[in-house]
Amino acid sequence: MEKKFKILQVIGSLHIGGAENIAMNFSRYIDRSRFQCDYLVFTEDIGEYEKEAISLGSKVIHLDPPNKGYVNYYKNLKKILIDGKYDVVHSHTLLNNGLTLKVAYDSNIKKRISHSHSTNIMGKKNFLYKVYAYLMKKLIVKYSTSLIACGTEAGSYLYGEKLFKEKGILVNNGINIKDYVFNKEKRKIMRQKIGIENALVVGHVGRLTAVKNHDFLLDVFFHIHKLNRESILLLVGDGELRATIENKSKELGLEENVIVTGMRTDVPDLLQALDIIVFPSHFEGLPVTLIEAQASGVHSLVSDRVTSKVKATNLITFLPLEEKAEVWAGKLFDCLNNERRDRSQEMIAKGFDVYSTIIQLENIYEE
């Protein structure tokens, strides 16, 4: 009987998010007769994806994050790895990958994968942070057997440009493209459900966190709304800044025109309802949202801090983040004359199909 590889995916949570969705795709599309994917998460609460993961045969293990106690994390993770008899550890937690893969090495795990999904970390970078980042990057380089990233910038950030160029592996954030193909009837139904049939719908999909720059997005929408009173801003997601965003919407007199949906599992359908996406992030790895948006045929106005590698079609327009909000608003109207159509072949040709990325990962796991 063929050996079944046991893989532990180490991810911050199984809440809805870009990296989490990519990690979940491993369970959704991998050959489950040959691979068993389990998940280690750093949250006590149950993420939206957890039930699905279990239904696919995955085990979900909850553990305190390293910053709650590094010695305890080391001991507990080592026990989990040895008791679980894992063949592969695939870590998605950026700098924390270093400690995780050191534990995996000490537990005799032969395949130890570091996966970078971002080009930076938001927040103050004091001296202690810099020391921690330096040490973790050293551990990642020393104890990883594979250095993976979703884009060259994400790889350079975590591993260094030279090393990633020499030894890194680029694994695209693949999606199931057929789920996103534009459908006029579905668009009509979704717009009716939300109550936005005749509106100009500006969208954003992502966590309500500082890196996504919703503060600037609201400023942009303020100017959009001055130019088109029938406009709506649809924010798909949730996060710690939700109250701040809702308060600012009220201050700008836009509370009736800004809809915050909270976490949603029907993003492919919601994308059908949008007319355009505005994505002014401070930084990203290679955002899954923009891959999904292109697959659904919707144009996106994107910060120049996002990697150019995300541009698989002509549906991405980059703008400097330094430009004023009214400039972004004016540019948005230039991008609206886009006829929605099937973009599947373009997306597949650029390597964003989940089936090709899963085959790539299966080969890495089996090496």
Side-chain angles (χ1 to χ4, degrees):
M1 188 173 130
E2 192 176 8
K3 174 180 168 56
K4 194 169 184 177
F5 284 80
K6 282 194 76 179
I7 302 143
L8 186 67
Q9 306 284 348
V10 182
I11 186 93
S13 77
L14 282 177
H15 287 298
I16 293 170
E20 292 82 357
N21 191 41
I22 293 302
M24 274 300 301
N25 277 344
F26 303 152
S27 281
R28 291 172 182 140
Y29 300 106
I30 206 162
D31 182 350
R32 292 197 291 277
S33 68
R34 291 159 50 218
F35 301 94
Q36 163 77 30
C37 272
D38 292 341
Y39 294 90
L40 178 73
V41 298
F42 298 153
T43 57
E44 290 179 4
D45 55 321
I46 306 297
E48 292 83 2
Y49 289 138
E50 190 159 330
K51 188 177 177 182
E52 182 191 358
I54 293 166
S55 75
L56 292 168
S58 297
K59 187 177 177 184
V60 181
I61 304 160
H62 292 255
L63 187 65
D64 282 340
N67 62 9
K68 286 279 185 76
Y70 294 99
V71 173
N72 277 341
Y73 179 75
Y74 181 97
K75 286 179 183 171
N76 292 332
L77 178 56
K78 190 171 184 182
K79 185 175 189 315
I80 288 164
L81 294 177
I82 292 169
D83 290 353
K85 297 183 170 60
Y86 288 101
D87 302 292
V88 180
V89 171
H90 187 160
S91 188
H92 304 262
T93 56
L94 218 56
L95 291 173
N96 283 333
N97 290 358
L99 180 56
T100 297
L101 297 174
K102 157 69 173 161
V103 181
Y105 174 83
D106 291 345
S107 307
N108 295 315
I109 307 293
K110 302 299 181 208
K111 195 74 183 173
R112 304 176 298 276
I113 300 168
S114 173
H115 199 145
S116 178
H117 294 274
S118 184
T119 58
N120 213 325
I121 291 175
M122 201 74 180
K124 291 180 181 176
K125 296 176 175 61
N126 57 26
F127 177 71
L128 279 177
Y129 167 84
K130 288 174 182 174
V131 170
Y132 180 74
Y134 175 81
L135 291 173
M136 287 302 108
K137 287 181 180 183
K138 287 287 185 188
L139 291 179
I140 288 168
V141 171
K142 184 172 183 180
Y143 294 110
S144 293
T145 56
S146 300
L147 302 172
I148 292 178
C150 62
T152 50
E153 288 89 346
S156 297
Y157 167 70
L158 198 57
Y159 316 124
E161 187 178 353
K162 185 172 181 287
L163 182 63
F164 188 67
K165 199 171 181 180
E166 289 171 2
K167 295 185 177 178
I169 303 166
L170 188 64
V171 176
N172 282 330
N173 287 341
I175 61 170
N176 191 348
I177 291 165
K178 68 178 175 58
D179 289 346
Y180 294 86
V181 174
F182 180 62
N183 181 300
K184 279 185 181 177
E185 191 55 35
K186 198 176 279 185
R187 172 180 168 85
K188 186 179 173 184
I189 291 166
M190 288 307 294
R191 286 170 75 94
Q192 283 173 346
K193 271 187 184 177
I194 303 166
I196 52 173
E197 292 98 319
N198 302 312
L200 164 64
V201 185
V202 179
H204 184 278
V205 181
R207 283 202 183 103
L208 308 185
T209 57
V211 66
K212 300 295 185 182
N213 204 7
H214 289 87
D215 188 60
F216 181 68
L217 174 56
L218 286 168
D219 291 337
V220 173
F221 182 67
F222 176 77
H223 290 284
I224 293 167
H225 192 65
K226 281 205 293 188
L227 296 167
N228 184 333
R229 293 291 175 181
E230 297 300 312
S231 54
I232 292 287
L233 178 60
L234 189 69
L235 301 178
V236 181
D238 213 335
E240 64 270 19
L241 292 183
R242 181 166 184 163
T244 306
I245 290 163
E246 289 173 339
N247 287 337
K248 179 162 181 173
S249 300
K250 286 176 187 171
E251 286 167 15
L252 294 172
L254 295 170
E255 64 265 41
E256 298 298 319
N257 303 92
V258 177
I259 300 170
V260 182
T261 69
M263 293 292 193
R264 296 286 289 249
T265 55
D266 58 346
V267 170
D269 294 342
L270 285 167
L271 286 170
Q272 306 284 332
L274 305 182
D275 293 305
I276 193 162
I277 282 178
V278 179
F279 206 83
S281 292
H282 289 291
F283 54 81
E284 294 277 351
L286 197 147
V288 182
T289 292
L290 297 180
I291 301 303
E292 295 171 336
Q294 290 174 91
S296 76
V298 69
H299 206 106
S300 299
L301 198 57
V302 182
S303 151
D304 62 349
R305 310 287 175 84
V306 175
T307 174
S308 60
K309 301 292 189 301
V310 79
K311 187 169 182 170
T313 68
N314 63 352
L315 295 174
I316 299 281
T317 297
F318 290 102
L319 265 184
L321 205 49
E322 290 73 24
E323 287 282 11
K324 291 180 179 177
E326 51 262 52
V327 173
W328 276 66
K331 188 67 178 174
L332 177 138
F333 289 94
D334 294 338
C335 299
L336 280 176
N337 298 322
N338 166 54
E339 187 186 341
R340 301 279 285 267
R341 58 183 173 83
D342 188 340
R343 298 281 183 155
S344 342
Q345 292 313 308
E346 290 173 78
M347 301 303 292
I348 290 167
K350 289 291 173 74
F352 289 108
D353 178 47
V354 69
Y355 295 102
S356 58
T357 57
I358 288 296
I359 289 168
Q360 187 184 5
L361 277 167
E362 287 178 347
N363 291 335
I364 291 168
Y365 291 155
E366 287 185 316
E367 277 173 355

